[in-house]
């Protein structure tokens, strides 16, 4: 599904066939989740394929590695160029791009001596689908920011996301919503949360969440559209009085939320601020470079 006999990967500065590449079984990333990754999308635009906010994503990858002391020996520019070349080699325009920095064999709990970087690309539709989501508040909270660097996109953090998603699906919901370790609204397993009340938007402040690149794009779009947004600490009860809500993330893009547990958002999605922002986001990522103020 992610690759076939023709698929090309970028691996340590070279383009190689995915079907002919392998990794060792003694790496710290495989055993301990000690690695960092990104999720990026490219879109077909009038001026060719455009990787949306490529620099910001590779800057975050660099920062994630630095925060957990994984050596990062690449420049953002070389990775952006490699990504465009990789898309071309795989004949992909609208694609999902997955860079992963993983560590060489070392079974000790010490800093890695050397690392590898691979980039994979594949065709991936909207991650959470197109229909409105039915969420449940997870029994798992996001990791405590004093235990790990929650602002980094580290492989091991995603065990928390997998547990929350699995629990939600086992209970018959589409997706989970996680609180932070203080009980405030945090985020989804792979997306940030916004909700709307009385014509104003609310979103959890930075600190206990992944600082999403889509979240900051939505904030920029809201500003362009003259929408008021408050970033702060909000509770489930705040959200259970809201008119509408949505998740946003690179893979999910902007996706409306129908309900959280028993609470149904009363505003029709098509009349919500989220829908406006969904349309604006969809246009922005496909806009020609020149007219795109965010690139
Ligand atoms: N929160 C979490 C936990 C995520 O995994 C993601 C996806 N990277 C997001 C939020 C959204 O981030 P972005 O918009 O940068 O994709």
């Amino acid at each position: 599904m992610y690759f076939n006999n023709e698929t090309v990967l970028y691996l340590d500065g070279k383009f190689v066939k995915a079907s002919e590449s392998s990794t060792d079984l003694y790496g710290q990333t495989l055993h301990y989740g000690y690695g960092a990754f990104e999720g990026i999308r490219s879109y077909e635009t009038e001026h060719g394929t455009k990787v949306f906010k490529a620099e910001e994503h590779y800057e975050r990858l660099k920062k994630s590695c630095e925060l957990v002391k994984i050596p990062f020996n690449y420049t953002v520019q070389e990775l952006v160029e490699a990504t465009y070349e990789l898309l071309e080699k795989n004949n992909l325009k609208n694609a999902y791009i997955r860079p992963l920095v993983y560590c060489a064999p070392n079974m000790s709990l010490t800093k890695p001596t050397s690392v590898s970087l691979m980039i994979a690309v594949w065709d991936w539709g909207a991650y959470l689908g197109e229909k409105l989501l039915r969420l449940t508040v997870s029994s798992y909270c996001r990791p405590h920011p004093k235990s790990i660097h929650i602002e980094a996109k580290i492989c091991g953090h995603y065990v928390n996301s997998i547990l929350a998603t699995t629990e939600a699906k086992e209970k018959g919901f589409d997706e989970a919503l996680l609180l932070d370790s203080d009980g405030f609204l945090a985020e989804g397993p792979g997306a940030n949360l916004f909700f709307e009340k009385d014509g104003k938007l609310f979103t959890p402040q930075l600190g206990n969440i992944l600082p999403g690149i889509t979240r900051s794009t939505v904030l920029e779009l809201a500003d362009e559209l003259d929408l008021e947004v408050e970033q702060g600490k909000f509770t489930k009860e705040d959200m259970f009085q809201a008119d509408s809500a949505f998740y946003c993330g690179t893979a999910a893009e902007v996706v409306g939320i129908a309900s959280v547990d028993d609470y149904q958002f009363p505003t029709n999605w098509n009349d919500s601020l989220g829908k406006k922002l969904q349309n604006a986001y969809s246009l922005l990522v496909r806009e020609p470079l020149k007219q795109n103020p965010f690139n």
Side-chain angles (χ1 to χ4, degrees):
M1 165 189 164
Y2 301 108
F3 71 97
N4 58 36
N5 276 343
E6 305 309 314
T7 304
V8 175
L9 288 178
Y10 179 79
L11 181 59
D12 290 333
K14 296 194 184 80
F15 294 97
V16 296
K17 279 214 161 169
S19 56
E20 290 165 12
S21 43
S22 62
T23 184
D24 58 77
L25 296 174
Y26 295 89
Q28 286 175 308
T29 310
L30 187 61
H31 286 253
Y32 309 130
Y34 187 51
F37 70 101
E38 266 306 316
I40 315 176
R41 272 194 192 275
S42 64
Y43 294 89
E44 188 174 2
T45 78
E46 241 180 68
H47 288 113
T49 302
K50 174 87 186 76
V51 180
F52 187 64
K53 299 219 167 175
E55 283 81 8
E56 285 88 335
H57 280 281
Y58 284 115
E59 286 291 351
R60 186 170 66 185
L61 183 62
K62 181 168 181 242
K63 193 174 163 210
S64 295
C65 288
E66 285 169 358
L67 279 167
V68 298
K69 317 274 184 213
I70 294 176
F72 190 84
N73 308 314
Y74 323 91
T75 66
V76 164
Q77 209 41 49
E78 75 181 276
L79 298 179
V80 173
E81 282 165 21
T83 304
Y84 276 102
E85 209 176 324
L86 187 64
L87 288 168
E88 243 182 74
K89 286 191 188 301
N90 286 287
N91 237 334
L92 282 170
K93 294 184 169 79
N94 295 297
Y96 183 78
I97 301 154
R98 166 56 55 83
L100 170 70
V101 176
Y102 61 98
C103 301
N106 175 11
M107 288 295 94
S108 305
L109 300 176
T110 53
K111 279 203 302 185
T113 43
S114 72
V115 298
S116 285
L117 180 141
M118 78 102 176
I119 309 176
V121 291
W122 65 87
D123 185 357
W124 221 20
Y127 175 64
L128 295 171
E130 313 272 330
K131 71 176 182 54
L132 299 186
L133 300 172
R134 290 165 46 257
L135 306 185
T136 183
V137 176
S138 184
S139 70
Y140 297 97
C141 70
R142 288 298 282 158
H144 194 289
K146 285 193 176 163
S147 303
I148 53 160
H149 292 281
I150 190 82
E151 72 274 37
K153 206 167 161 59
I154 302 304
C155 300
H157 297 183
Y158 283 80
V159 176
N160 173 256
S161 297
I162 291 171
L163 285 172
T165 303
T166 304
E167 179 191 61
K169 289 193 186 292
E170 281 176 358
K171 284 168 69 183
F173 292 90
D174 299 316
E175 184 56 300
L177 168 62
L178 291 98
L179 306 180
D180 67 18
S181 48
D182 296 323
F184 292 102
L185 292 172
E187 59 189 330
N192 291 115
L193 172 75
F194 282 77
F195 60 91
E196 171 190 352
K197 170 81 184 155
D198 295 336
K200 185 175 162 184
L201 289 162
F202 299 84
T203 192
Q205 66 189 30
L206 299 184
N208 290 348
I209 57 170
L210 186 82
I213 289 165
T214 319
R215 176 185 180 277
S216 60
T217 306
V218 165
L219 291 174
E220 290 164 345
L221 288 170
D223 194 45
E224 287 269 302
L225 295 170
D226 266 335
L227 304 176
E228 200 184 338
V229 189
E230 185 178 328
Q231 301 183 50
K233 290 185 173 208
F234 306 109
T235 61
K236 268 188 305 188
E237 289 67 35
D238 295 325
M239 189 186 55
F240 290 152
Q241 294 175 11
D243 302 323
S244 71
F246 62 91
Y247 266 166
C248 67
T250 300
E253 303 182 312
V254 175
V255 54
I257 299 171
S259 59
V260 182
D261 291 316
D262 290 337
Y263 183 75
Q264 310 266 341
F265 292 98
T267 298
N268 186 309
W269 172 246
N270 288 329
D271 302 326
S272 70
L273 295 179
K275 178 67 184 178
K276 268 199 180 116
L277 288 158
Q278 185 184 53
N279 288 342
Y281 186 79
S282 174
L283 281 177
L284 176 70
V285 295
R286 292 172 181 85
E287 249 177 29
L289 254 179
K290 261 191 310 189
Q291 290 163 27
N292 186 336
F294 302 117
N295 277 285

